[in-house]
Amino acid sequence: MMLTQVKQGVGNIIEEGVEIPANVTLGNYNVIRKGVRFEVLAGAGQFHIGDCNVFNENVKVLIGPSGISVGDWNVFHNSILVTAIGDIPTTIGHNCWFGQNSILDGSGGLTIGHGVRIGMYSQVWSHVASGEQLEGCLLHSTGHTVIENDVWLVGSCIVASGVTIRERTICMTTSFIQKNTDAHSTYSGNPAKKQEKLKLWYKPTMAEKLGMMKKWSHEFVGLNPDIRLEEEDGILRLTNTLGEVVIIGCADTLPELSAGQSYFSLATKNYTKSLSQLERKFYKYIYNNKARFLPINTSNE
């Protein structure tokens, strides 16, 4: 592997044969598997990678002049193509999951929010161009594509260029999304149509949320006998043998924390990022489809 002049944090796993270009800034505890390629095009901008991401085998990222940024806790499965080559930076938030053999096209601008799930074999486009213009083809354009927070493309979906998929839209398998969607709605078909009777979201109460976190915390402790769970006054407290602590509560204001302590707020859906071993282990257990939180950085980076 080549790491010359690369700015990177701690705990990264970079498998043999992977070359990291000098314009890549790598955070902490990322995993980059064999066959991953970060290709720098002429005049390429920066590629900022946050913490705790996974790039699986044969992911390919093309880095153009506007660059690309990726937040924390994202998973890019095998053989994904990301083309961050447009005049608008490609941005990907936190807690996203991208299924294998998917395409993320940033040629015309691509913005992906937090908690987005894109199932395998899906294609997200921001440009269309192939027919020969010299012979009169009129089908060539770009459009900034936006996928808002908590969108789920179940699998084998196609998103046309310039479309905005609103928050918590679910697009069922093989949907072809050609127009903007409504938030908190479900779509299916080719072209995708809103399924008015299919309601796949509800609003849990704070008590229900705390109950779910309590259940999952008990399950987590059952898998990790070195971790202790305590509950008092609606606050859950996980502690390991290193003295690290994860606190889960309903307050929207942060308590005073010591080094190695993390607070997960059910009111704001934020957590104080310390990158402790316990925090990373616990969050890895819950963040897939149990509970996702957005980081407030308290570590020294």
Side-chain angles (χ1 to χ4, degrees):
M1 65 184 173
M2 183 180 75
L3 291 171
T4 307
Q5 298 178 338
V6 173
K7 204 185 205 180
Q8 66 164 325
V10 301
N12 293 302
I13 298 173
I14 303 172
E15 293 191 343
E16 185 177 357
V18 175
E19 295 187 355
I20 308 294
N23 64 332
V24 173
T25 302
L26 194 59
N28 306 283
Y29 302 105
N30 296 287
V31 177
I32 302 179
R33 300 293 186 194
K34 64 183 179 181
V36 171
R37 294 165 60 191
F38 299 145
E39 294 194 8
V40 177
L41 305 184
Q46 295 295 304
F47 184 7
H48 297 283
I49 301 173
D51 299 324
C52 305
N53 297 285
V54 177
F55 293 82
N56 278 312
E57 287 86 351
N58 302 313
V59 170
K60 183 177 180 180
V61 181
L62 304 181
I63 309 167
S66 295
I68 173 174
S69 64
V70 171
D72 299 347
W73 289 100
N74 298 290
V75 177
F76 297 81
H77 275 289
N78 302 24
S79 303
I80 288 174
L81 174 63
V82 183
T83 59
I85 60 176
D87 295 330
I88 301 171
T90 296
T91 61
I92 297 172
H94 306 295
N95 304 321
C96 297
W97 185 96
F98 304 102
Q100 64 192 48
N101 294 292
S102 294
I103 296 173
L104 306 176
D105 168 39
S107 302
L110 178 60
T111 300
I112 296 177
H114 307 304
V116 171
R117 326 301 275 182
I118 295 182
M120 61 176 65
Y121 296 100
S122 294
Q123 302 173 26
V124 179
W125 295 100
S126 63
H127 90 291
V128 56
S130 188
E132 187 180 356
Q133 295 179 57
L134 185 63
E135 293 300 325
C137 183
L138 299 175
L139 185 59
H140 50 88
S141 67
T142 60
H144 187 182
T145 299
V146 178
I147 301 181
E148 295 183 351
N149 297 342
D150 299 313
V151 165
W152 181 12
L153 309 183
V154 175
S156 299
C157 295
I158 299 176
V159 179
S161 60
V163 166
T164 294
I165 303 184
R166 299 293 182 192
E167 182 178 24
R168 291 185 177 172
T169 296
I170 296 177
C171 297
M172 307 304 284
T173 303
T174 69
S175 296
F176 181 19
I177 305 97
Q178 298 173 299
K179 297 179 179 180
N180 298 349
T181 69
D182 295 331
H184 301 265
S185 300
T186 303
Y187 289 76
S188 67
N190 181 2
K193 295 182 180 178
K194 185 175 179 179
Q195 304 302 304
E196 299 285 356
K197 297 181 179 180
L198 195 55
K199 305 296 183 184
L200 298 178
W201 291 98
Y202 82 104
K203 191 170 181 61
T205 66
M206 191 61 69
E208 288 174 321
K209 289 182 178 182
L210 186 60
M212 285 187 269
M213 292 301 293
K214 181 178 179 180
K215 173 179 179 290
W216 295 326
S217 295
H218 276 290
E219 293 172 354
F220 177 69
V221 169
L223 296 171
N224 298 277
D226 60 320
I227 297 171
R228 185 174 74 254
L229 173 63
E230 300 171 302
E231 181 183 3
E232 184 177 359
D233 298 328
I235 296 175
L236 306 174
R237 184 183 180 96
L238 295 162
T239 309
N240 66 6
T241 54
L242 299 175
E244 297 171 339
V245 179
V246 164
I247 303 167
I248 304 160
C250 302
D252 56 5
T253 56
L254 298 178
E256 188 173 336
L257 299 171
S258 303
Q261 294 187 335
S262 307
Y263 181 73
F264 286 75
S265 169
L266 295 176
T268 66
K269 293 298 297 292
N270 293 119
Y271 75 101
T272 56
K273 183 170 72 170
S274 69
L275 291 175
S276 70
Q277 184 182 111
L278 177 58
E279 176 194 282
R280 288 181 284 114
K281 193 170 190 177
F282 176 67
Y283 196 58
K284 186 175 182 179
Y285 179 73
I286 65 169
Y287 89 111
N288 184 19
N289 70 333
K290 291 181 174 71
R292 305 181 197 124
F293 295 77
L294 299 180
I296 299 172
N297 189 14
T298 60
S299 62
N300 295 320
E301 296 182 329

